[in-house]
Amino acid sequence: MKSSEGLAIGELARRFGLATHVLRHWESMGLLEPARRADGQRTYGSADLERVALILMGKEAGFTLGELRALLSTPSPMDHRDLLRSHIEELEQRISQAQAAKELIEHALACPHSFAECRHARDQIASRIPPSS
C-alpha cells in the first residue's frame, strides 16, 4: 500500500476476516481513529493495520475492549503495569482451571467406570456443589 493510499473499511475488514460493523464498533469505543476522505468515507493506513493487529492480539490474550482502550491509549502498554499484572493473574487462574478440566477429561477417557461409579468423578462433582447455608 502506498503511503498516499488508504484502505476502505470493507477492504480492511476483508483483510482481517472481520465484519465492517466490528471496525465501526471499535471506532465508537475509541480503539480506531481512521482518517476521512473528502467525501467523509473512512480510510485506513498502515498504522491502522498495526492497530487492528494489536487489538486482535489483545482479544486473543483475553483483554476486554475497555482494557485494550486503556492499554492503547498511551505510547506503551507498559504504562499500565497494574492492568497487565492483574491480567496475568486472571490468565494463571484460567490456565489452572483449564488444566484441571483437561485432567478430568483425560481421567474420564481412561477410567473404565461410569461417572456414577467413579470415585474420582464423584469427588470432583461433590467439590463443585456449594455448601448449604
Side-chain angles (χ1 to χ4, degrees):
M1 165 175 43
K2 296 178 185 172
S3 60
S4 62
E5 295 178 5
L7 296 172
I9 191 169
E11 295 169 310
L12 181 67
R14 274 189 297 282
R15 189 150 177 192
F16 283 95
L18 300 168
T20 56
H21 71 86
V22 171
L23 298 174
R24 286 188 197 95
H25 178 64
W26 291 353
E27 183 181 348
S28 74
M29 295 279 303
L31 291 166
L32 289 174
E33 295 179 30
R36 297 284 180 157
R37 295 182 179 142
D39 62 2
Q41 291 210 339
R42 296 166 177 86
T43 181
Y44 298 89
S46 58
D48 296 306
L49 289 168
E50 290 178 9
R51 186 79 166 199
V52 170
L54 277 170
I55 293 166
L56 290 171
M57 289 169 61
K59 287 177 56 62
E60 288 170 5
F63 287 103
T64 66
L65 293 179
E67 290 169 334
L68 287 170
R69 182 178 51 231
L71 288 170
L72 300 174
S73 68
T74 58
S76 172
M78 296 312 297
D79 294 338
H80 304 279
R81 288 180 182 273
D82 289 344
L83 175 58
L84 295 171
R85 284 187 187 105
S86 172
H87 195 69
I88 286 173
E89 291 173 12
E90 289 175 29
L91 287 172
E92 287 173 348
Q93 182 178 12
R94 285 194 292 180
I95 289 167
S96 176
Q97 291 169 338
Q99 184 62 39
K102 179 180 176 271
E103 289 169 6
L104 182 61
I105 292 168
E106 288 172 340
H107 178 84
L109 287 170
C111 184
H113 305 292
S114 70
F115 269 18
E117 298 170 335
C118 175
R119 185 76 236 152
H120 179 73
R122 301 301 310 152
D123 290 345
Q124 292 295 312
I125 293 167
S127 74
R128 298 301 297 257
I129 299 172
S132 60
S133 38

